[in-house]
Amino acid sequence: MFGLLPGDRALVVGAHPDDETVGMAGTIAAMTGYGIQVDVLSVVCVTTPMYGGHSDSRTRLDEFHEACDVLGVDRRRVAWLDDRRAASPSTHLSELVALIETGEDVSLAASRPAALFIPAGGHHQDHQAVHLAALAAVRPGPRPGRPLPRLVLGYDGPEDRAWLAGCAPRPVLIDITSALQAKAKALACYQSQLRDDPHPRSIEKIQAQDCAAGAEIGAHAAERFAVYRMAFS
């Protein structure tokens, strides 16, 4: 997969717990099934009113760990949990870059990944902040302790796929047919974050988006990615 071999490590960075699952659970499950070790860094989680309900950090943390277990994720971390910075990560960009570069347990320095997956911008200000910080963290140029992944790809959330990313270049498609059961099970872990059909964040619409992507490559289902770096030796 992507030129990666069993034993290689990938790092998935998300703005919130659930981004890794609604965005690319099939690819995560496919990678771990192939023997690639996957770490997940989720940046922010707060207890606060949210659209369509209420965000409870304890519930979301439990859902995050349950979904990561389903997907075979190795190391995982929610960094800014009910932290003052979580309310507005865009005003803490330097700290956000440092978190992705050298944060404890799960980061570029701790994981030393061959592949990095980041939010592809999107409609949400937290996703945009994490996108910019992650690109800064893997900018070209050697620096001690900061490995440069040879593969850097961007994933979209379901709302972005339905709205902003429909015409955006997403040239990498990953066949996730063999991982559909794992993705469905991981999605079901996030009951507090899913919505009823026809919302883009419903299981039905997420599966429909995957099926549409799969049709492009003659597969039952696929996930699309933006490309920022793809280097092969």
Side-chain angles (χ1 to χ4, degrees), residues 177-202:
T177 303
S178 64
L180 283 177
Q181 185 175 1
K183 180 168 185 176
K185 187 175 180 182
L187 285 169
C189 294
Y190 282 110
Q191 289 301 311
S192 74
Q193 300 305 303
L194 296 176
R195 298 293 176 262
D196 294 331
D197 192 31
H199 194 284
R201 190 172 277 269
S202 65

